[in-house]
Amino acid sequence: FLLPIINCYAAGTVYSNGYNLAWLTVLYVVGAYIKRFSPVFIRSSWLLVFALCSTLLPLGCVLFELPVSFDYAQPLTLAYALAFFILFTRINITSSVARRFIAWAAPSAFAVYLIHVHPWSWYMLCKYTRELNICLDYPWWFALVFGLVIYVTCTCLDRVRIHLFRLLRLRRVAEVTADAITMRVLLIYRKLF
């Protein structure tokens, strides 16, 4: 189980730098493990310090022009993602407005990732980013605003998809199809054995 995580630094070809099913499978397994066996022995203060240090380390490497990689399938990326993930599972949200917003935005989080790494999205982002780099000398915070615009745009696109799926009752269609396939497989299994 731990071998793919330990070897993730040399995983440029195996995990396609974090853009393939193998890496997503590793992340789902790690997430399931954390959900099943919550690491309560790790203090939140240690996690916070580790998460902040591992986030600032790549920025320091860029500042001092040291070699650094920003691939998703890097040990440092996995480490601070896990630290933040565990920290966020420990947050107790009491505000009903915040709870409603999280319940609204959370289903679209994975879709934001899928939409923004789609080849067409990369083409459009690279095209306009290149033009911005040529035309403007923009401040450092522009990247944060640009990232927020991408997040909001992708979330809105996925909300349209969610409403279309509800309108077409695709969940019910999927359940009926899954039940039919399950019954078919069980019938074949009983005939064989």
Side-chain angles (χ1 to χ4, degrees), residues 93-112:
I93 299 168
T94 56
S95 167
S96 61
V97 174
R99 284 175 176 258
R100 280 198 301 270
F101 175 75
I102 291 169
W104 178 84
S108 298
F110 187 60
V112 169

Side-chain angles (χ1 to χ4, degrees), residues 48-69:
L48 185 60
V49 168
F50 175 77
L52 291 175
C53 288
S54 58
T55 303
L56 295 174
L57 180 66
L59 296 176
C61 289
V62 169
L63 270 171
F64 296 109
E65 298 179 4
L66 298 170
V68 64
S69 175

Side-chain angles (χ1 to χ4, degrees), residues 3 9 22 25-26 28 36 41 50 54 61 65 73 105 110 116 120 128 130 139 141 147 161 175 185 188 190 192:
L3 188 62
Y9 181 76
T25 303
V26 168
Y28 274 110
R36 178 74 174 93
F41 58 90
F50 175 77
S54 58
C61 289
E65 298 179 4
F110 187 60
H116 100 277
W120 183 82
Y128 290 112
R130 194 177 304 115
W141 52 264
R161 179 206 54 87
E175 288 171 357
V185 169
I188 293 170
R190 286 181 186 153
L192 292 175

